[in-house]
Amino acid sequence: LDCEDWKSKQKHIFILSSAGKPVYSRYGSEEKLVTLFGVMQALVSVTQDMDDDSIEAIYFGSRTLVFSVRGPIILVAVSSTREPISFLNKQLSYVYSQIVSVLTLSQVTRIFEERRNYDLRRLLTGSERLIDSLLKSTELEPDLLVNGVSCLPLPLNSREAISNTIISTCSKIKNLVFVVLVAGNKLIALVRMKKYHISPSDLHLVFNMVNASESFKTAESWTPICLPNFDSSGFLHCHVSYLTEDCAACLLLFTVDRDLFFELSDAKKKITEKLRRNNLLTAINDAVRKIEGITGSLCMTPVRHFIYKDCRSGGVVSPSMAATPYESAAGWSQLMKHYQILYDELHSPIVQLKLIYRQYSVDTIIAWVNEKFEVYVLLEPLISKTNAIDAVNKLWQLIQKEEDRFFIINIPIF
């Protein structure tokens, strides 16, 4: 607590058990923060005992404490970033989902029913990197803010050919639930078993697992993973491997059968060979290389940056780079905070807003939601509201012309 570097952090995330046992701290050693964890547990406990209520937030000075109590798990965010409470709660929700993804809700519940003082770190050893990576993504990736998924921009015929290759190879494999092909944080293809669906938040946990694990690049892996929104009570078993050493795409095959590794390994080889034979590996690599130019080309004057979500598919389009003064890492973080505030206001349960127009000294931001899209656009300063709306409509028209490239409208089934 006396470390100046630790105290200088603008935001801390803590996880502890209802008995006050440390589970995770984003910065610093849990062992050296035992007293602090005890204070946080006491705040939660006192509120429950006195008022039969739950504590949600505490404000002191420039800092905000946000609490999220999930059964035997307590999650706390301590922030001086002025991020909305709704966003801090979203971060805590993702962190909790990451824990469930590693352990399953059933296991967490059973452990603490049997031993209230259990040290959960024993089971989460090595998973800290997943939580660290996920927290960073929640702060920097527009997809997680708007609860959507970005797709790798591909011609419709290429994406359909990739999906058909997966279907023709996997349709007769029993107990295969989902097949996901991803490059970076961009979805290339998704095929599912009939009647089953995978949510954007579960997909983000999958993407996070891939991005945080370098070992997947060197060998095939067989890993259990719980998708909390699909089934929080149990694991799916996932075959994970990159298609080839010279392709950025990672293939994940999810099954309920723990003995299916070799059959899925064989399927992966067949999929890769078919994709190579039809020049689809080249198409994927070309799309990964060109993605910045494709999304960046949508930022035509007066648009400087945007987050666009298609309401029908849940797909998201957003350039990964922004114009001055947001081109630096610190600038990007500031831009995301602007978006977080607008998202919070647009989705307020108290006042139902459809459009927000706000001018600052260096730029103008407009947020707009309707039945077709949800969009947040950074524009040049001094632009009028009428011209800002016209710019958003032009952006929508440009994206609509290429919707088959940017979105997966219909998820194919086995």
Side-chain angles (χ1 to χ4, degrees):
L1 290 176
D2 294 328
C3 175
E4 290 300 322
D5 181 60
W6 185 86
K7 290 193 292 185
S8 69
K9 303 297 183 185
Q10 286 193 307
K11 180 163 60 179
H12 292 270
I13 303 292
F14 303 104
I15 309 171
L16 59 149
S17 72
S18 58
K21 285 276 189 179
V23 175
Y24 169 86
S25 173
R26 189 176 190 182
Y27 304 110
S29 166
E30 293 91 5
E31 296 297 338
K32 295 180 179 179
L33 300 170
V34 171
T35 302
L36 182 60
F37 279 100
V39 171
M40 290 186 287
Q41 188 275 334
L43 289 170
V44 172
S45 180
V46 166
T47 305
Q48 291 175 335
D49 293 343
M50 291 181 61
D51 302 322
D52 192 24
D53 201 353
S54 59
I55 188 170
E56 295 184 358
I58 297 175
Y59 301 89
F60 66 101
S62 62
R63 295 187 181 272
T64 303
L65 273 75
V66 176
F67 295 81
S68 179
V69 180
R70 303 292 187 94
I73 303 293
I74 300 171
L75 304 101
V76 184
V78 183
S79 174
S80 59
T81 60
R82 297 188 179 182
E83 292 165 322
I85 286 181
S86 64
F87 174 74
L88 297 174
N89 270 315
K90 178 176 287 189
Q91 280 196 295
L92 296 181
S93 180
Y94 264 111
V95 170
Y96 177 72
S97 293
Q98 184 63 72
I99 294 174
V100 173
S101 180
V102 173
L103 300 177
T104 76
L105 180 58
S106 299
Q107 186 177 10
V108 171
T109 303
R110 177 179 53 79
I111 285 170
F112 286 105
E113 284 178 349
E114 294 175 357
R115 294 180 58 187
R116 185 172 178 271
N117 288 319
Y118 187 81
D119 188 346
L120 200 60
R121 287 176 296 178
R122 297 176 187 175
L123 297 178
L124 290 173
T125 300
S127 299
E128 298 88 350
R129 60 184 171 77
L130 294 172
I131 299 175
D132 291 342
S133 173
L134 186 60
L135 283 170
K136 186 175 181 181
S137 293
T138 59
E139 292 165 349
L140 300 177
E141 298 287 343
D143 300 23
L144 283 82
L145 173 63
V146 298
N147 301 317
V149 175
S150 289
C151 296
L152 184 70
L154 277 170
L156 178 60
N157 60 345
S158 295
R159 199 183 308 276
E160 287 183 340
I162 293 169
S163 297
N164 289 335
T165 298
I166 293 171
I167 293 169
S168 65
T169 306
C170 299
S171 60
K172 294 184 179 180
I173 300 176
K174 292 183 178 180
N175 298 320
L176 189 60
V177 184
F178 302 114
V179 177
V180 176
L181 187 62
V182 60
N185 285 324
K186 308 297 181 185
L187 182 64
I188 300 171
L190 169 63
V191 183
R192 61 181 178 85
M193 183 185 286
K194 191 176 181 180
K195 296 183 181 179
Y196 291 109
H197 301 272
I198 185 168
S199 68
S201 59
D202 281 348
L203 276 173
H204 289 308
L205 294 177
V206 172
F207 295 172
N208 185 59
M209 179 183 72
V210 173
N211 293 334
S213 305
E214 289 293 321
S215 61
F216 293 149
K217 295 180 179 179
T218 57
E220 295 176 89
S221 296
W222 186 241
T223 183
I225 179 172
C226 173
L227 302 178
N229 281 294
F230 175 70
D231 179 9
S232 63
S233 65
F235 287 115
L236 291 175
H237 301 276
C238 185
H239 180 280
V240 189
S241 62
Y242 281 78
L243 293 179
T244 65
E245 290 184 359
D246 58 352
C247 182
C250 182
L251 182 69
L252 302 100
L253 301 104
F254 296 84
T255 178
V256 294
D257 188 342
R258 68 177 64 190
D259 299 318
L260 217 57
F261 173 83
F262 293 105
E263 187 172 356
L264 295 183
S265 177
D266 185 54
K268 178 260 180 178
K269 293 181 178 68
K270 291 178 180 178
I271 290 170
T272 302
E273 182 53 36
K274 291 178 181 178
L275 294 178
R276 187 192 302 279
R277 194 162 56 240
N278 293 298
N279 295 319
L280 292 169
L281 294 181
T282 300
I284 290 171
N285 284 335
D286 287 346
V288 170
R289 187 171 62 252
K290 296 175 181 177
I291 187 171
E292 282 310 315
I294 293 172
T295 56
S297 66
L298 297 170
C299 288
M300 295 188 294
T301 305
V303 175
R304 292 180 168 181
H305 189 266
F306 66 89
I307 303 172
Y308 180 99
K309 179 181 176 182
D310 178 66
C311 292
R312 181 171 46 154
S313 66
V316 177
V317 181
S318 182
S320 62
M321 298 293 291
T324 305
Y326 300 110
E327 69 271 31
S328 66
W332 181 265
S333 179
Q334 185 60 42
L335 176 59
M336 287 302 298
K337 287 175 186 175
H338 280 318
Y339 288 145
Q340 290 160 13
I341 291 169
L342 289 171
Y343 182 89
D344 176 67
E345 294 179 7
L346 210 58
H347 292 269
S348 169
I350 300 172
V351 180
Q352 298 294 319
L353 299 175
K354 295 296 183 182
L355 189 144
I356 300 171
Y357 166 80
R358 191 158 292 160
Q359 285 191 317
Y360 299 97
S361 60
V362 295
D363 51 46
T364 298
I365 299 183
I366 187 169
W368 186 4
V369 62
N370 57 35
E371 69 280 359
K372 295 179 180 177
F373 60 77
E374 179 177 342
V375 67
Y376 305 82
V377 185
L378 179 73
L379 300 141
E380 293 179 347
L382 305 180
I383 187 171
S384 68
K385 185 176 180 179
T386 300
N387 288 339
I389 292 174
D390 286 343
V392 173
N393 277 319
K394 289 178 182 177
L395 175 64
W396 172 71
Q397 291 168 4
L398 286 172
I399 293 175
Q400 283 297 295
K401 288 180 181 178
E402 299 282 348
E403 69 169 359
D404 288 334
R405 178 185 292 266
F406 289 122
F407 310 124
I408 302 176
I409 304 299
N410 298 303
I411 306 296
I413 61 175
F414 295 117

